[in-house]
Amino acid sequence: MIDYSSIKLGVAKKILFLLGLTFFLIGQVLLSRGNEYIYAQEPIDFAHWFLLIGVVLLIPQTTAFPNKIFTLIGAPITLIGIVCIIGMCVL
């Protein structure tokens, strides 16, 4: 019997990952426009919000790494990078 719940969960993680990359890309494009553009954004700083939402949507994909030796190194480094980007967006 096919376990459809795990298939749906895998597809959901991929959709969240792609959505997160899209938000992250939009945030990076907004940041590339310069400091004047960032400071002129009203009422909130949209660039950092796009980065924050995008990075949070990338978190579920870190559990989808294959079980290999590189996962023991790559998953923690990825999570550390995500936490660092979240910290940057909050400050």
Side-chain angles (χ1 to χ4, degrees):
M1 187 154 74
I2 299 175
D3 184 17
Y4 289 110
S5 62
S6 64
I7 293 173
K8 289 180 184 177
L9 183 62
V11 170
K13 284 182 182 180
K14 289 179 184 177
I15 290 172
L16 285 176
F17 179 73
L18 291 175
L19 193 61
L21 280 180
T22 304
F23 275 105
F24 196 75
L25 177 69
I26 292 169
Q28 289 290 340
V29 169
L30 289 175
L31 284 176
S32 71
R33 305 214 39 192
N35 277 341
E36 295 80 24
Y37 181 78
I38 298 299
Y39 290 132
Q41 291 179 358
E42 298 273 336
I44 60 172
D45 180 8
F46 291 105
H48 286 96
W49 275 103
F50 274 115
L51 286 174
L52 181 64
I53 293 169
V55 125
V56 168
L57 290 175
L58 296 178
I59 293 172
Q61 187 65 25
T62 58
T63 62
F65 289 149
N67 292 330
K68 296 189 178 192
I69 188 70
F70 297 114
T71 303
L72 296 174
I73 300 168
I77 290 175
T78 303
L79 288 173
I80 289 170
I82 288 172
V83 168
C84 290
I85 293 173
I86 289 172
M88 178 198 67
C89 291
V90 171
L91 291 179

